[in-house]
Amino acid sequence: DRLQWPQISKCRSPEMETFSCFWTAGNFYNLTVPRILQLLYKKSNEEDWKECPDYITSGQNSCYFNASYTSVWTPYCVQLASKNEVYDKKCFSVDEIVLPDPPVHLNWTLLNTSQTGIHGDIQVRWDPPPTADVRKGWITLEYELQYKEVNETKWKELKPRLSTMVPLYSLKTARDYEIRIRSRQRTSEKFGEFSEILYVSFSQIVIGCDHCTEEVEFPWFLVVVFGVCGLAVTMISIMLSKQPRLKMLLFPPVPVPKIKGIDPDLLKKGKLDEVNSILACHDNYKTQLYSDDLWVEFIELDIEDPDEKNRASDTDRLLSEDHLKSHSSLGVKDDDSGRASCCEPDIPETDFSASDTCDATSDSDPFKKATEKEEDLLCLDRQDNDESLPSLANTDLQRQHRNTQSENSHLWAPFGDSSESPRPSVHTQISNQNSLASTDFYAQVSDITPAGRVVLSPGQKSKLGRAQREACTEQNFTMDNTYFCEADVKKCIAVTSQEENEPHGQEQGYNEDGYFTTESLTTTVANLGASTAAPPSSEMPVADYTSIHIVQSPQGLVLNATALPVPDKEFNVSCGYVSTDQLNKIMP
Amino acid sequence: GLLLAALLVSHMLLTKEGVTSMPICPNGSVNCQLSLEELFDRAVKLSHYIHFLSSEMFNEFDERYAQGRGFIAKAVNSCHTASLTTPEDKEQAQQIHHEDLLNLILGVLRSWNDPLIHLASEVQRIKEAPETILWKAAEIEEQNKRLLEGMEKIVGRVHSGEVENEIYTPWDGLPSLQLADEDSRLFAFYNLLHCLRRDSHKIDNYLKVLKCRLIHDNNC
């Protein structure tokens, strides 16, 4: 046998008023002279070891400290020693060693039984251990109940609770149960001993049915298996079925990325000009959208585009000059883009390549001047640079040659037609020459160079003019709006200038950028030399914004003539495309 | 997904026996003043929660840092609040006047204000301190403040005479929490947490005794 030293097995306080320590003697007794073990104790603030006051009350090999010797939150040390040797030592404080006695007076009462009489509910009650002074609040106990059927081995546990009664539901009346309870101090971890076992038997109270001793257990397994199979079959059949609505209901499609205001069909069909025009109006898209890589993709898309004109123009641009790359790749073909950004497209086709755009300037030196303006991205910052205009006109002409001639002739012609019809209303839009910011105008971005500069295209004016020539004369510009349909203006005004420019090629007033400032319009009209130019009438008060008459997203808006209260300047006037958010701000 | 997460979090919080939010004004009270019973109920809940957290924090710290260092043997220490003479057994707790006991409780709570603040900050400097310990330290500090406020309210209600001198013991253990030697530093933490557990148990017990005595007339 191994030699076992005497040890202190545990120290315990049942109610936080007294405590006892227990030890084991080991097997010294047999080997040597019976030693007399002593338990010595010391409080933390004392120096001398004192002997145990009571060896008897707690039984053999124990020491009992009654209430007068017990201080609860004071550290104690006890040691097991004989005359010479110290065998074991323990230090603790009484609040740490609380293990309550078991509850007493367990009993149960029947609450109710099920209709078939197979199951029943009972309520179990008990009293707290008598030693624990719960009534004065000196100790707070919580109880844990365990129960099981008589012939089972594993106890079922309930969560510890403070109350001294607990219901047990759904016990089988045909079986007998055993219940036991133990308690612990509320913030401790260790439980005290279990109480005596309480036997629960229904036979005396409930007349159980003899034939229902063996109840049928619910065939959970079968239910689950068949349920899963059925569900799988249903799902498969739904997926395979041709019913789109049902499919949508049960398997909704994952939403694809979507940009507000852009019809995904546009992207599919390769109508990048409109997409770009819309995107250009969103600040974050301005420069990021264009890069050399994108250009490559765009090129490919263009090839696939069934629209010949697009292709032709792109190809032309590609082949003719290096910087042409910038134009075509980006796919910001003006064409109707101006229209798309602003008004309802009167001309359905968007195939016209942007013959003349701000990008034209990029090709030439004069463009460098214009590059400054280009930084505004929409050529908004066009100064009234006479010098640049001629150069623009030059390049514009060059570009015209590059483009399909017929197209150009179409483009130019309408301008000429409408030049005869002065639009005095245009003059009302005269604003300071130098501050474009105060002018209300918008233009179509036809292209964006790889450098990130935006080139505006005047193309639509020609196209618009062409298609709308008839309607032009009838158009009544209500110039109290600062916004008016670009299409309308372009077709009427630009056509005017366009025609003039063609023969001269140096028309200053000609705004090749596909957009026009009020001054350019004015000069355009004025330069025509026709009697068209009417002196600017007195400026009429103009509203900064107008309400939308028709929204044809993503192709543009048709604005109402009614004046609206001027909203904040944050309105991106230059864009010409009013986003719905901005509109919501201004619309009452 | 969000709903499920919210449900889980709320379940966790509720089963933690934490302090749930209680209505400020019970229905029907005109002045919106809580009854003394309500104040005591809340105080007891708070003190129980603080003791529960202290216990757990001590156990975690013990498990993680104190094993094998022999801290237990040395833990017969004195806490900085030992100078406050508090009832040490049931008899003394029964005999002390409730106003004195309330003042003592306030004194212990005030004396722990400072150490808890430093505990919460210094425990973060322990190498690889578990998140649970850090969180508990911060939580105990906050709840202690709330309990202090609540106790001051109770004292205001219960106290008949003038307010006595404030009972308070200063704490000078901060340097020991900042020692360079890791063993010494951890031992200082161990002692502090041990004292915290003990004192929070004291407070909890005293409050329960007072509650049963004043509210339920010794018949809880």
Side-chain angles (χ1 to χ4, degrees):
Chain A
D1 267 343
R2 237 177 28 166
L3 201 63
Q4 284 177 349
W5 291 88
Q7 339 181 272
I8 299 173
S9 54
K10 71 172 179 185
C11 289
R12 172 186 170 242
S13 168
E15 75 291 78
M16 228 163 50
E17 298 172 44
T18 68
F19 72 100
S20 308
C21 282
F22 304 88
W23 64 86
T24 55
N27 47 16
F28 269 31
Y29 270 62
N30 298 340
L31 300 176
T32 56
V33 173
R35 296 166 187 272
I36 297 175
L37 290 171
Q38 285 181 321
L39 190 82
L40 305 174
Y41 75 96
K42 183 170 82 124
K43 284 192 189 176
S44 67
N45 48 3
E46 291 167 357
E47 302 206 352
D48 299 328
W49 290 92
K50 297 183 195 149
E51 194 167 356
C52 166
D54 186 336
Y55 283 103
I56 302 169
T57 309
S58 294
Q60 206 179 29
N61 292 343
S62 74
C63 178
Y64 173 73
F65 297 84
N66 63 19
S68 57
Y69 286 98
T70 309
S71 305
V72 176
W73 291 283
T74 311
Y76 279 81
C77 282
V78 294
Q79 63 182 19
L80 192 65
S82 65
K83 284 212 175 85
N84 304 326
E85 284 180 75
V86 173
Y87 298 112
D88 198 1
K89 184 179 171 189
K90 255 193 168 68
C91 291
F92 54 87
S93 58
V94 176
D95 53 298
E96 296 164 5
I97 56 169
V98 176
L99 277 179
D101 289 331
V104 294
H105 303 151
L106 275 73
N107 58 17
W108 67 277
T109 50
L110 184 71
L111 287 176
N112 49 27
T113 54
S114 63
Q115 280 188 347
T116 54
I118 298 179
H119 297 283
D121 307 331
I122 62 171
Q123 175 104 312
V124 186
R125 287 171 177 265
W126 61 91
D127 285 339
T131 51
D133 191 351
V134 193
R135 287 177 58 183
K136 295 207 184 81
W138 182 243
I139 188 171
T140 312
L141 296 175
E142 61 182 12
Y143 307 95
E144 183 195 62
L145 185 142
Q146 296 184 359
Y147 69 101
K148 72 173 177 68
E149 288 178 29
V150 175
N151 47 10
E152 275 178 358
T153 50
K154 200 153 177 257
W155 290 89
K156 289 186 199 133
E157 293 175 9
L158 295 185
K159 213 177 47 166
R161 61 195 64 217
L162 290 171
S163 59
T164 57
M165 63 173 85
V166 71
L168 284 179
Y169 297 114
S170 244
L171 300 181
K172 299 183 195 118
T173 51
R175 310 279 171 88
D176 290 347
Y177 287 86
E178 294 175 344
I179 297 176
R180 61 181 187 178
I181 307 174
R182 58 183 180 171
S183 63
R184 69 173 176 192
Q185 196 189 29
R186 203 165 155 213
T187 44
S188 304
E189 285 178 357
K190 292 194 185 136
F191 280 98
E193 293 295 321
F194 279 107
S195 64
E196 289 181 0
I197 292 182
L198 175 72
Y199 285 97
V200 176
S201 171
F202 294 94
S203 52
Q204 286 140 16
I205 300 181
V206 172
I207 301 172
C209 50
D210 298 331
H211 59 275
C212 24
T213 49
E214 293 302 319
E215 64 192 53
V216 179
E217 298 238 344
F218 197 76
W220 287 109
F221 179 70
L222 287 176
V223 167
V224 166
V225 168
F226 279 109
V228 167
C229 286
L231 202 63
V233 166
T234 315
M235 286 293 150
I236 290 170
S237 63
I238 288 174
M239 282 200 290
L240 293 178
S241 77
K242 307 289 182 181
Q243 291 269 357
R245 292 197 64 165
L246 194 58
K247 261 176 134 173
M248 288 279 285
L249 198 68
L250 289 178
F251 303 109
V254 177
V256 295
K258 199 177 171 182
I259 303 173
K260 240 197 232 183
I262 292 183
D263 185 5
D265 288 341
L266 285 180
L267 292 170
K268 283 183 203 165
K269 292 178 202 161
K271 298 196 194 281
L272 295 159
D273 51 351
E274 276 139 347
V275 175
N276 287 326
S277 71
I278 293 163
L279 290 178
C281 294
H282 296 267
D283 290 317
N284 23 343
Y285 287 92
K286 275 185 180 160
T287 51
Q288 294 163 11
L289 207 57
Y290 306 97
S291 67
D292 288 334
D293 292 339
L294 282 176
W295 169 66
V296 178
E297 293 168 1
F298 285 6
I299 288 291
E300 291 174 348
L301 284 170
D302 290 339
I303 291 172
E304 290 164 1
D305 194 338
D307 188 349
E308 284 200 5
K309 295 207 173 161
N310 274 337
R311 217 181 318 138
S313 63
D314 286 341
T315 316
D316 288 340
R317 291 181 193 166
L318 282 172
L319 294 176
S320 35
E321 282 198 18
D322 300 346
H323 5 259
L324 286 183
K325 286 180 190 177
S326 57
H327 316 313
S328 50
S329 64
L330 303 180
V332 185
K333 304 181 184 92
D334 62 333
D335 303 330
D336 319 323
S337 47
R339 179 194 55 174
S341 66
C342 158
C343 304
E344 172 186 13
D346 300 317
I347 299 173
E349 287 170 330
T350 62
D351 303 338
F352 296 95
S353 60
S355 54
D356 312 334
T357 60
C358 276
D359 57 10
T361 60
S362 67
D363 298 316
S364 56
D365 284 344
F367 179 70
K368 282 169 192 161
K369 271 191 193 170
T371 53
E372 305 162 6
K373 308 172 217 168
E374 273 196 351
E375 287 171 8
D376 280 3
L377 296 183
L378 289 179
C379 295
L380 297 176
D381 193 16
R382 275 208 69 169
Q383 302 297 325
D384 190 17
N385 296 330
D386 293 343
E387 30 197 24
S388 60
L389 287 177
S391 55
L392 287 177
N394 280 331
T395 54
D396 186 34
L397 278 180
Q398 292 168 18
R399 303 211 54 206
Q400 289 179 25
H401 291 309
R402 286 194 289 271
N403 292 325
T404 316
Q405 284 299 324
S406 61
E407 189 184 346
N408 285 338
S409 59
H410 282 303
L411 291 174
W412 292 121
F415 281 116
D417 289 344
S418 58
S419 64
E420 265 127 31
S421 51
R423 292 286 172 238
S425 52
V426 177
H427 298 297
T428 59
Q429 284 202 344
I430 290 175
S431 49
N432 294 334
Q433 289 186 355
N434 294 328
S435 58
L436 288 183
S438 60
T439 64
D440 300 303
F441 57 86
Y442 45 83
Q444 176 59 37
V445 176
S446 64
D447 238 335
I448 294 187
T449 67
R453 296 186 174 141
V454 170
V455 182
L456 302 182
S457 100
Q460 52 269 25
K461 55 186 168 191
S462 53
K463 187 173 28 163
L464 292 171
R466 176 175 55 95
Q468 303 269 323
R469 193 186 314 180
E470 299 121 16
C472 188
T473 53
E474 292 154 11
Q475 280 289 336
N476 262 340
F477 290 105
T478 53
M479 299 318 291
D480 43 348
N481 307 339
T482 51
Y483 268 102
F484 50 93
C485 191
E486 185 178 348
D488 295 337
V489 175
K490 281 184 180 175
K491 68 192 177 194
C492 295
I493 307 299
V495 168
T496 307
S497 57
Q498 190 83 326
E499 269 196 350
E500 283 291 335
N501 284 335
E502 187 177 22
H504 302 292
Q506 296 244 347
E507 186 52 55
Q508 290 186 3
Y510 177 65
N511 183 348
E512 301 170 2
D513 297 335
Y515 76 99
F516 15 81
T517 64
T518 53
E519 69 249 23
S520 66
L521 286 172
T522 313
T523 49
T524 297
V525 178
N527 285 336
L528 288 177
S531 57
T532 60
S537 54
S538 61
E539 295 187 8
M540 296 163 51
V542 296
D544 285 342
Y545 307 95
T546 183
S547 63
I548 299 174
H549 175 56
I550 297 175
V551 177
Q552 276 197 350
S553 165
Q555 289 170 336
L557 310 169
V558 173
L559 304 178
N560 275 340
T562 56
L564 286 178
V566 180
D568 294 337
K569 273 297 178 183
E570 65 203 27
F571 210 97
N572 189 5
V573 172
S574 61
C575 183
Y577 175 81
V578 179
S579 72
T580 51
D581 292 342
Q582 290 167 328
L583 280 171
N584 287 337
K585 286 183 204 164
I586 54 170
M587 298 279 279
Chain B
L2 198 59
L3 182 62
L4 182 63
L7 284 173
L8 282 174
V9 166
S10 61
H11 173 74
M12 266 167 37
L13 290 176
L14 288 174
T15 53
K16 243 182 160 167
E17 283 193 327
V19 185
T20 57
S21 64
M22 298 182 249
I24 297 177
C25 293
N27 36 347
S29 58
V30 178
N31 286 341
C32 191
Q33 207 185 24
L34 290 170
S35 64
L36 194 63
E37 177 178 355
E38 180 70 20
L39 284 174
F40 263 108
D41 267 347
R42 294 187 185 198
V44 166
K45 278 200 174 81
L46 268 176
S47 66
H48 174 78
Y49 183 48
I50 292 172
H51 175 58
F52 171 74
L53 288 176
S54 312
S55 239
E56 294 226 316
M57 191 159 83
F58 176 78
N59 288 340
E60 283 178 33
F61 187 89
D62 187 28
E63 243 179 68
R64 179 114 163 71
Y65 296 105
Q67 298 304 324
R69 289 178 207 253
F71 284 170
I72 298 176
K74 299 186 225 165
V76 185
N77 57 348
S78 62
C79 303
H80 71 288
T81 49
S83 58
L84 302 173
T85 46
T86 50
E88 287 291 306
D89 58 30
K90 194 174 82 165
E91 292 301 318
Q92 294 178 16
Q94 297 286 110
Q95 284 163 12
I96 189 173
H97 195 261
H98 65 268
E99 288 184 14
D100 296 330
L101 189 55
L102 281 169
N103 282 329
L104 274 174
I105 294 172
L106 270 180
V108 175
L109 289 173
R110 282 193 202 111
S111 306
W112 271 102
N113 222 358
D114 205 31
L116 284 174
I117 293 172
H118 291 292
L119 176 70
S121 63
E122 294 300 322
V123 81
Q124 292 176 11
R125 306 223 185 101
I126 298 180
K127 198 172 45 168
E128 293 174 359
E131 179 63 33
T132 48
I133 290 184
L134 298 177
W135 170 81
K136 285 188 174 83
E139 183 76 358
I140 291 173
E141 190 224 326
E142 192 191 318
Q143 299 300 335
N144 194 63
K145 282 197 189 102
R146 291 181 57 194
L147 181 58
L148 195 53
E149 288 170 16
M151 288 312 301
E152 279 168 357
K153 278 205 184 80
I154 291 178
V155 168
R157 290 275 190 97
V158 167
H159 226 296
S160 54
E162 292 173 0
V163 183
E164 289 182 11
N165 289 339
E166 280 198 3
I167 300 173
Y168 170 78
T169 43
W171 177 67
D172 57 359
L174 182 57
S176 62
L177 291 185
Q178 295 169 328
L179 290 172
D181 175 36
E182 194 191 352
D183 268 6
S184 314
R185 189 158 41 97
L186 288 175
F187 182 60
F189 273 105
Y190 184 86
N191 282 337
L192 188 64
L193 291 175
H194 196 253
C195 284
L196 178 62
R197 185 178 73 165
R198 174 183 305 166
D199 281 354
S200 58
H201 188 246
K202 257 195 213 180
I203 304 279
D204 190 36
N205 239 74
Y206 294 160
L207 278 174
K208 283 171 181 161
V209 166
L210 276 177
K211 182 178 161 212
C212 285
R213 193 203 293 186
L214 298 177
I215 309 289
H216 302 280
D217 199 21
N218 276 333
N219 198 6
C220 274

